[in-house]
């Protein structure tokens, strides 16, 4: 008795991926990025910020490491 062979179905070769994201999949990360950027640019609005802004300290430290 011969064994039956299974053929693979032909896949559509349109050349592009058909992936759709919901609107919030792009909006929420963008909103979080803007909120964090606003806190970095104006650290006075951040309630947990004390003393010198962290980004200024980070830039100063990077400048010290590069200038060595």
């Amino acid at each position: 008795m011969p064994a039956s062979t299974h053929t693979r179905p032909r896949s559509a070769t349109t050349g592009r991926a058909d992936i759709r994201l919901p609107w919030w999949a792009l909006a929420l990360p963008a909103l979080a990025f803007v909120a964090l950027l606003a806190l970095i640019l104006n650290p006075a609005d951040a309630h947990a910020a004390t003393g010198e802004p962290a980004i200024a300290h980070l830039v100063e430290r990077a400048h010290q490491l590069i200038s060595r």
Side-chain angles (χ1 to χ4, degrees):
M1 174 181 243
S4 63
T5 59
H6 297 287
T7 59
R8 286 188 275 162
R10 296 180 75 111
S11 62
T13 56
T14 60
R16 65 179 181 95
D18 191 23
I19 299 173
R20 295 183 52 110
L21 292 174
W23 65 269
W24 51 264
L26 294 175
L28 289 180
L31 182 65
F33 176 77
V34 168
L36 290 174
L37 185 63
L39 287 176
I40 288 173
L41 293 178
N42 192 4
D45 290 341
H47 298 290
T50 58
E52 190 174 316
I55 193 73
H57 181 66
L58 181 65
V59 170
E60 180 183 344
R61 187 78 170 137
H63 180 65
Q64 288 174 356
L65 290 173
I66 292 172
S67 66
R68 287 187 182 181

